[in-house]
Amino acid sequence: MTTGSMSVTPALAAQASQPRGDGGFEGVGRAHGKVILTGEHAVVYGQPAIAVPLSGVELTATVRADGRGMLTSSPFRGSIEDAPASLEPVVTALRGTADLIGMPVAGLSLTIDGDVPMGRGLGSSAAVATAVVRSVVDLGAHRGLRVPDAADSPLADGAPTADPGGRGPADRALHALVQQSEAIAHGRSSGLDPYAVAADGPILYSGSRPTPLRLAADLGLVVADSGSHGSTAQAVGGVRTLMADDPLPTRARIEALGQITEHAVQILAGRGTRAELGHELNRAHVLLQELGVSTPELDSLAAAAVEAGADGAKLTGSGLGGCVVALVNSAESAHAVGKALTTAGAARVWTSILAATPDGSRESRQEEAS
Ligand code: PMV
């Protein structure tokens, strides 16, 4: 599936539709990628994690009731009925949302387009599911179909009771659909990604609940794609095996990763320095190496970022491929680190500067350099 550049939408249901030439409507939904700053893997064992939006990396789902029932995406183009098993999470999100709002699913055609690379720890599967759910809700709104409150819906079971924007029960029902799609894509997961790809700023995910994180200072990140695919299920399974075979040191590492996130929250709130945060990212990378989820490519990208002046760097997401994230202190440093990462073999590099939020408002600038 291809995925480009992102506007952050505050609520799952809030999307604008565009009239088509034939007088019908298409429903449009968007979602962005995410980067886990700290806490991946540990979050599966109940430890906290911090995720930030990769707000220039987005994808768009467009749904039309054209009677054709086609799916158009980069991995597959054809009848939805013939979609490969790998796209089952997408089809489930489409059908589940149509069922929820009472829209006939037969004849709906779906197009997915954008720039969240798959299998790179950037939340592509959750972003696709979120964009698809939003697109169907958008189309439904033009037919007077509303999302029932979670209380009316069987999907309310297990639906979280809070989300980053404190949205209503209808949004919780939609969120449950994204979680359902994620469960098919990855098996058991912490539930972090569906919040992270829908949030308009950094979140702390703790106790299965997201909380918006305030930034006391700008947060500059450079994200580099190693170019290789990482399987979340395989990486999570590997750590599970380690936990069963060698529980004491594994548990200690998971807890140390949790403490790193707690310290990072303090630093982001202004009670610590960027150098300290960088040091914590470096420590997290070593712990993730020890958990067996790094690769030589991820190690050398993280080392190249630090060598080029980053305050710290680590793998992000499940590992075993995917991306590294590096902390930088200025646009100049971001440029130098991005260049070094490209020289060290990164397939793509993105820079994301999240602006400080002294008054609760938040902006982010993002550019791709590759
Ligand atoms: O690589 P991603 O984007 O699927 O992130 C996985 C994060 C893990 O902590 C490894 C798994 C999870 O369920 O949170």
Side-chain angles (χ1 to χ4, degrees):
M1 192 159 317
T2 58
T3 60
S5 176
M6 170 79 193
S7 67
V8 180
T9 46
L12 273 167
Q15 298 284 343
S17 279
Q18 299 161 1
R20 283 171 41 239
D22 63 3
F25 280 93
E26 53 187 29
V28 179
R30 297 189 178 88
H32 54 79
K34 68 89 188 46
V35 177
I36 298 180
L37 189 64
T38 61
E40 53 273 274
H41 288 288
V43 68
V44 175
Y45 297 88
Q47 298 290 336
I50 296 171
V52 303
L54 196 51
S55 54
V57 180
E58 85 172 350
L59 57 78
T60 303
T62 308
V63 66
R64 332 182 159 72
D66 60 4
R68 299 177 63 219
M70 299 295 284
L71 176 57
T72 307
S73 66
S74 67
F76 175 79
R77 204 187 168 94
S79 163
I80 287 178
E81 296 302 327
D82 300 332
S86 60
L87 290 176
E88 193 193 335
V90 181
V91 176
T92 298
L94 175 73
R95 292 193 170 136
T97 314
D99 283 351
L100 180 69
I101 64 175
M103 185 191 293
V105 73
L108 288 182
S109 287
L110 176 66
T111 300
I112 296 167
D113 193 20
D115 201 23
V116 185
M118 293 174 77
R120 301 297 201 272
L122 301 182
S124 64
S125 59
V128 171
T130 298
V132 169
V133 166
R134 286 173 164 173
S135 69
V136 178
V137 170
D138 185 41
L139 182 61
H142 286 280
R143 299 174 168 193
L145 299 171
R146 68 178 258 284
V147 182
D149 287 352
D152 311 335
S153 158
L155 290 162
D157 287 348
T161 55
D163 65 8
R167 293 159 207 151
D171 277 318
R172 291 201 291 274
L174 300 177
H175 178 88
L177 280 164
V178 178
Q179 293 282 16
Q180 204 174 60
S181 170
E182 278 289 273
I184 298 168
H186 296 308
R188 198 174 138 247
S189 77
S190 66
L192 165 63
D193 277 17
Y195 286 115
V197 300
D200 57 0
I203 58 168
L204 171 67
Y205 188 70
S206 180
S208 299
R209 297 256 186 285
T211 318
L213 266 187
R214 194 184 148 270
L215 298 180
D218 288 5
L219 180 65
L221 300 174
V222 177
V223 177
D225 180 2
S226 69
S228 69
H229 190 282
S231 156
T232 304
Q234 192 188 341
V236 170
V239 176
R240 195 186 308 120
T241 302
L242 212 55
M243 185 65 91
D245 293 349
D246 207 6
L248 280 181
T250 306
R251 183 149 298 285
R253 288 179 180 118
I254 293 289
E255 283 169 8
L257 285 166
Q259 285 156 8
I260 287 173
T261 294
E262 280 160 16
H263 191 197
V265 170
Q266 297 301 316
I267 297 169
L268 293 175
R271 293 182 284 277
T273 64
R274 188 185 291 111
E276 285 172 306
L277 182 56
H279 177 69
E280 292 293 40
L281 297 192
N282 292 338
R283 273 185 65 214
H285 185 75
V286 171
L287 288 161
L288 290 162
Q289 273 176 331
E290 290 168 356
L291 288 173
V293 296
S294 193
T295 62
E297 291 76 23
L298 293 171
D299 293 347
S300 66
L301 287 178
V306 172
E307 176 87 1
D311 292 295
K314 60 180 274 291
L315 70 84
T316 179
S318 66
L320 294 184
C323 293
V324 297
V325 58
L327 182 67
V328 292
N329 62 10
S330 63
E332 294 72 37
S333 163
H335 185 70
V337 169
K339 252 179 100 172
L341 284 163
T342 302
T343 305
R348 291 176 77 181
V349 174
W350 300 269
T351 297
S352 181
I353 315 261
L354 286 118
T357 56
D359 58 359
S361 64
R362 184 178 290 120
E363 287 172 27
S364 72
R365 308 190 298 275
Q366 197 275 344
E367 63 190 43
E368 179 173 353
S370 66

